[in-house]
Amino acid sequence: MSEIAPSQTLYLSNLPDKVNMDELRASLYHLFVTHGLILDIVTKKANEMREQAFIVYDDVASATAAKRGLDGFNFYDRPIQKIEYGKTKSHAVAKLDGTYRLRSLDSKKGSNKLMKRETTGEDEDGRPSKMARRQTDSEDDDDDDDE
């Protein structure tokens, strides 16, 4: 199994699942802030992510210090069994370094559809009164150049 490269994001597992999410975030913040500046703490209510969290530090050195210092730490009477570096760059870090891109819903499906506006009618002056959106394939955009 290959080792994950050090990053600013830490992945935690085996966290208590019966604790309120706001209380869990606050407790994690107070525990991990001693190792450096925290940019973000991500916890989810979904069953798949219930006992897990992501802690995002300002720099890799702080994340490494927290990983070494708190691995196996008893948190709400449960040992934090696994503290690892995050596999991907977090949104907080991407926003800071300028590489953040908002994903669209269609990008998950692999669709190459674009939204175009077309008029639905004209008012008494002959101007378009309303605009509607319709989907077109990206190849349709090049058809105007062939004429």
Side-chain angles (χ1 to χ4, degrees), residues 9-39:
T9 305
L10 293 178
Y11 166 76
L12 313 173
S13 65
N14 197 35
L15 298 176
D17 58 345
K18 303 295 184 197
V19 179
N20 180 338
M21 289 293 121
D22 292 331
E23 182 181 341
L24 180 64
R25 266 189 223 106
S27 298
L28 286 171
Y29 178 81
H30 291 297
L31 179 64
F32 281 85
V33 75
T34 59
H35 297 282
L37 179 66
I38 294 177
L39 299 178

Side-chain angles (χ1 to χ4, degrees), residues 4-11 60 63-64 67 83-87:
I4 300 169
S7 72
Q8 295 166 272
T9 305
L10 293 178
Y11 166 76
V60 177
T64 302
K67 182 180 186 305
I83 299 179
E84 292 183 355
Y85 294 111
K87 292 180 181 177

Side-chain angles (χ1 to χ4, degrees), residues 6 12 20 27 34 37 42-43 53 55 68 77-78 83 89-90 92-93 99-100 102 105 110 113 127 137 141:
L12 313 173
N20 180 338
S27 298
T34 59
L37 179 66
V42 179
T43 58
I55 312 287
R68 289 180 182 159
D77 296 329
R78 293 175 79 169
I83 299 179
K89 187 185 290 190
S90 72
V93 173
T99 60
Y100 178 73
L102 187 63
L105 295 176
K113 304 235 180 203
R127 294 180 298 202
D137 289 331
D141 295 338

